[in-house]
Amino acid sequence: MSIIYDSQTKCFNLSNDRISYVIRMAADLYPLHLYWGKRVRRISDKMVSRRMQDGYPQSDEKFSLHETPLDHLPQECPTYGVGDLREGMLHVIHQDGTHALDLRYASHEIIEGKPELPGLPSARGDKAQTLILTLADALSGIRVKLYYTIYEDLDVIARSALIENGGDAPAVIDRAYSACVDFEYSDYTLMTMSGAWARERQLYTRKIAPGEQGVSSARGASSVQTSPFMALLASNTNEDAGDVYGFALCYSGGFKATVEVDQNWSARAMIGIQPFNFNWTLEPGASFQTPEAYLCYSPDGLNGMSQNFHKLVHRRITTGKYAGSKRPILINNWEATYFNFNEEKLVALAARAKKAGIDLFVLDDGWFGHRDADNSSLGDWFDDKRKLPNGIAGLSEKIHALGMKFGLWVEPEMISPDSELYRAHPDWCIHAGEYIRVESRHQLTLDMSRQDVQDYVVEAITAAMKRGNVDYVKWDMNRFITMWGSEQLPAQRQQELGHRYILGLYSVMRRIIEKYPDVLFESCAGGGGRYDLGMMCLMPQAWTTDDTDAHMRCRIQYSTSMVFPQSCMGAHVSAVPNHQTGRSTPLATRAAVAMGGTYGYELNLLELPDEEIEEIAKLTDKVRGMQELLLYGTFFRLKSPYEGNQTAWMCVSEDKKEAIVTHVFTLGQPNPKDVRLTLRGLDPELDYQDVETGAIYGGDELMLHGIIVKKPWGDYCSEQFHLKAL
Ligand code: GLA
């Protein structure tokens, strides 16, 4: 791995053994994007197209801004107006209201590792080098440091920008994306994920065309409606082959991921903070750090891209005791009881769960204030003694006495208008002056940009965690932000609130997590509403969706795996008929699908006969035995539920000696036939034994000829193959 500057060709070449990213200076003034793809030693002048050559002159004299070359050139940090009329990566408004920004090369530095980003989560920087390219606007004194990190062992480039005001007048940052890549051509298909509550992250693909296309969230969170991710796929790309360029953002707030195809059929791809409802005043001497973006190239199709992202998450994103290790198998009481529980019922449920081999009992919503429905008490984090006469302390003691761990649900960022907290501090919620306080799920959002609110949340949540002696926390967030406004921000800084909220949230989470390093934290946002790499830096797993229906889960987990590994995906076996869809699926299928994530249960075990509890105990045992493989194995998608009647995926251990394959048919069919499923990632030279049947197959045979999946009988039937090398 190295970053080399060649003064002859004026190129920065960031390469590891597999990929390269090449930047070329135009006349020592503007950094232009030259190449991103498989490793290349250099790119000579002759390889540069005519249009590019005009824009890549060898000397300053030949380069003239009079011909507006920048509108035709692939840039690394474009700004609007200096000859380039596409949307730029940065847009700054000066004190006099004008907004030209002529960012030219000032200096560069190549350092070992990667600087931490102030206030923001980011990937760790070991086995990495970073190019810091500083550009400056001479007239205003605005400087931009572009960070590019290349890793020895990851096919990912981390990018971000630090914007500094070195002038003597304040300036307003009107937009600041984290990364921009100008592709010379636009022969790509764009892949994004969009959805809604209980049907998050559905995959969408379309050919890109002249104009702007992409996804964004202005909801104050990365959202259930879409995801801070996009990928550009070269033609004929599939799961196993083809050039894929993935972009993902390490940020939990509003974002935008956009591709603009211009007059020359070039494609400008950018990702970063949502520019709408955002600006940031930079006083002289102040700086602004953008979140980190990950640019992930794979020549091996979508599976290749996902495996790169998964490695990034496992090796540089998740932290703490549970990153890289087994997770407790849990039962959550939400779908078992909703708000209707008492200590006796919970302890009985836990005891039954213990019989089924379950490790951790999680008490969900409804244990505090007087919360019998979703219309009160958020913010009042004291025990409801009507339901829990001995408080969470007494319940926790009983759960621990069963030999189980105890976990607790909290929703720290929220406040119910019907709460003691709201009656004491009506100014603590986000609200726009005298305008109506628009509620969602009967609740308002605390203003996490305020220090007093942050301190209250840390204090109240850590007190509950201490009282309950908790081993696990589910951190929920059940509404998006409306009627933006903070009582503590001056008028010109009101549009900073979205980002300040997220900075406040990260700070609060860090303070709590640092105090309880042994606790497992799972993030949640009305299901999968904050499913982003920023959250994963803080909490190693996230509730994937409130939809626990195995059929819908096939779709949601399939697409979630585009970026996130199985170790991040909360996945539970729930009751039938399913509470979100009314659909009934076999227990084996519900379990097989939940094995595609951090496995758990969410149903009333007290209603199940003993035989089913025994079956559940067997499943729990099976998962426990294979958990490392299930959570951290190399993941391959085999059959897409978006394309047909089957879903299939598999994970393979790093040494290729063990694999687990999951196959689900959607609907039963008349006169069906068996299916041949070709596997991936095995060692062709090894023989593998099917643990269940004892049958032996060659790795080559399994990957070329395929394994036979029994024809479907009924709807949603599934089969799993556990293979071990002999
Ligand atoms: C959200 C979560 C659920 C559950 C409820 C409780 O919807 O996603 O899992 O915790 O809140 O109110």
Side-chain angles (χ1 to χ4, degrees), residues 46 106 133 189 312 398 520 529 557 559 580 713 726:
K46 293 193 187 65
L133 195 53
T189 292
L312 167 73
K398 292 199 170 97
L520 171 61
Q557 291 178 205
S559 39
Q580 293 78 40
W713 180 247
L726 291 175

mmCIF file of all heavy atoms in Angstrom, residues 46 106 133 189 312 398 520 529 557 559 580 713 726:
data_model
loop_
_atom_site.group_PDB
_atom_site.id
_atom_site.type_symbol
_atom_site.label_atom_id
_atom_site.label_comp_id
_atom_site.label_asym_id
_atom_site.label_seq_id
_atom_site.Cartn_x
_atom_site.Cartn_y
_atom_site.Cartn_z
ATOM 1 N N LYS A 46 -0.420 9.792 -22.802
ATOM 2 C CA LYS A 46 -1.040 9.336 -24.050
ATOM 3 C C LYS A 46 -2.391 8.672 -23.819
ATOM 4 O O LYS A 46 -3.231 8.597 -24.699
ATOM 5 C CB LYS A 46 -0.110 8.361 -24.760
ATOM 6 C CG LYS A 46 1.141 9.029 -25.256
ATOM 7 C CD LYS A 46 1.900 8.144 -26.217
ATOM 8 C CE LYS A 46 3.234 8.765 -26.554
ATOM 9 N NZ LYS A 46 4.126 8.838 -25.368
ATOM 10 N N ALA A 106 -2.695 24.232 -2.738
ATOM 11 C CA ALA A 106 -1.816 24.990 -1.842
ATOM 12 C C ALA A 106 -0.648 24.109 -1.378
ATOM 13 O O ALA A 106 0.504 24.532 -1.416
ATOM 14 C CB ALA A 106 -2.603 25.495 -0.633
ATOM 15 N N LEU A 133 -4.694 16.802 0.915
ATOM 16 C CA LEU A 133 -4.498 17.730 -0.195
ATOM 17 C C LEU A 133 -5.161 19.042 0.205
ATOM 18 O O LEU A 133 -6.371 19.090 0.414
ATOM 19 C CB LEU A 133 -5.190 17.112 -1.413
ATOM 20 C CG LEU A 133 -4.900 17.630 -2.792
ATOM 21 C CD1 LEU A 133 -3.417 17.656 -3.092
ATOM 22 C CD2 LEU A 133 -5.607 16.730 -3.806
ATOM 23 N N THR A 189 -25.435 1.719 -14.249
ATOM 24 C CA THR A 189 -26.740 1.569 -13.603
ATOM 25 C C THR A 189 -26.568 2.012 -12.163
ATOM 26 O O THR A 189 -25.578 1.657 -11.517
ATOM 27 C CB THR A 189 -27.163 0.090 -13.664
ATOM 28 O OG1 THR A 189 -27.417 -0.223 -15.035
ATOM 29 C CG2 THR A 189 -28.432 -0.168 -12.867
ATOM 30 N N LEU A 312 -14.695 -3.775 5.882
ATOM 31 C CA LEU A 312 -14.526 -2.428 6.470
ATOM 32 C C LEU A 312 -15.223 -2.364 7.827
ATOM 33 O O LEU A 312 -14.648 -1.894 8.819
ATOM 34 C CB LEU A 312 -15.114 -1.376 5.519
ATOM 35 C CG LEU A 312 -15.295 0.032 6.093
ATOM 36 C CD1 LEU A 312 -13.947 0.737 6.249
ATOM 37 C CD2 LEU A 312 -16.226 0.888 5.210
ATOM 38 N N LYS A 398 -34.215 -10.965 39.366
ATOM 39 C CA LYS A 398 -34.879 -12.258 39.110
ATOM 40 C C LYS A 398 -34.391 -12.876 37.795
ATOM 41 O O LYS A 398 -34.262 -14.093 37.678
ATOM 42 C CB LYS A 398 -36.401 -12.079 39.086
ATOM 43 C CG LYS A 398 -36.937 -11.720 40.469
ATOM 44 C CD LYS A 398 -38.427 -11.978 40.582
ATOM 45 C CE LYS A 398 -38.872 -11.856 42.018
ATOM 46 N NZ LYS A 398 -39.453 -10.552 42.379
ATOM 47 N N LEU A 520 -23.728 -4.542 25.816
ATOM 48 C CA LEU A 520 -23.974 -4.638 24.367
ATOM 49 C C LEU A 520 -25.064 -3.635 24.001
ATOM 50 O O LEU A 520 -26.150 -3.652 24.583
ATOM 51 C CB LEU A 520 -24.430 -6.061 24.014
ATOM 52 C CG LEU A 520 -24.941 -6.283 22.588
ATOM 53 C CD1 LEU A 520 -23.869 -5.977 21.542
ATOM 54 C CD2 LEU A 520 -25.428 -7.728 22.402
ATOM 55 N N GLY A 529 -34.530 2.675 10.985
ATOM 56 C CA GLY A 529 -34.539 4.067 10.514
ATOM 57 C C GLY A 529 -33.244 4.825 10.699
ATOM 58 O O GLY A 529 -33.153 5.999 10.333
ATOM 59 N N GLN A 557 -33.236 -8.245 4.457
ATOM 60 C CA GLN A 557 -31.876 -8.645 4.835
ATOM 61 C C GLN A 557 -30.990 -8.825 3.598
ATOM 62 O O GLN A 557 -29.800 -8.527 3.632
ATOM 63 C CB GLN A 557 -31.909 -9.918 5.686
ATOM 64 C CG GLN A 557 -32.520 -9.655 7.055
ATOM 65 C CD GLN A 557 -32.644 -10.879 7.945
ATOM 66 O OE1 GLN A 557 -33.483 -10.903 8.822
ATOM 67 N NE2 GLN A 557 -31.842 -11.908 7.729
ATOM 68 N N SER A 559 -31.073 -7.060 0.847
ATOM 69 C CA SER A 559 -30.565 -5.763 0.401
ATOM 70 C C SER A 559 -29.699 -5.095 1.463
ATOM 71 O O SER A 559 -28.696 -4.459 1.133
ATOM 72 C CB SER A 559 -31.714 -4.851 -0.038
ATOM 73 O OG SER A 559 -32.818 -5.007 0.820
ATOM 74 N N GLN A 580 -47.037 -8.119 11.527
ATOM 75 C CA GLN A 580 -47.002 -7.008 10.569
ATOM 76 C C GLN A 580 -47.713 -7.349 9.266
ATOM 77 O O GLN A 580 -48.209 -6.457 8.577
ATOM 78 C CB GLN A 580 -45.556 -6.597 10.245
ATOM 79 C CG GLN A 580 -44.794 -5.975 11.397
ATOM 80 C CD GLN A 580 -44.296 -7.012 12.383
ATOM 81 O OE1 GLN A 580 -43.849 -8.084 11.992
ATOM 82 N NE2 GLN A 580 -44.391 -6.698 13.664
ATOM 83 N N TRP A 713 -42.750 -27.627 -1.272
ATOM 84 C CA TRP A 713 -44.072 -28.169 -0.967
ATOM 85 C C TRP A 713 -44.698 -27.201 0.029
ATOM 86 O O TRP A 713 -44.286 -27.113 1.175
ATOM 87 C CB TRP A 713 -43.982 -29.589 -0.397
ATOM 88 C CG TRP A 713 -45.339 -30.148 -0.080
ATOM 89 C CD1 TRP A 713 -45.848 -30.448 1.148
ATOM 90 C CD2 TRP A 713 -46.382 -30.407 -1.019
ATOM 91 N NE1 TRP A 713 -47.139 -30.875 1.030
ATOM 92 C CE2 TRP A 713 -47.500 -30.873 -0.296
ATOM 93 C CE3 TRP A 713 -46.494 -30.280 -2.423
ATOM 94 C CZ2 TRP A 713 -48.714 -31.208 -0.913
ATOM 95 C CZ3 TRP A 713 -47.698 -30.628 -3.020
ATOM 96 C CH2 TRP A 713 -48.797 -31.092 -2.263
ATOM 97 N N LEU A 726 -13.628 -31.988 4.787
ATOM 98 C CA LEU A 726 -13.117 -33.225 5.418
ATOM 99 C C LEU A 726 -11.635 -33.054 5.728
ATOM 100 O O LEU A 726 -10.909 -32.418 4.989
ATOM 101 C CB LEU A 726 -13.326 -34.399 4.466
ATOM 102 C CG LEU A 726 -14.792 -34.789 4.260
ATOM 103 C CD1 LEU A 726 -14.891 -35.879 3.203
ATOM 104 C CD2 LEU A 726 -15.403 -35.300 5.563
#
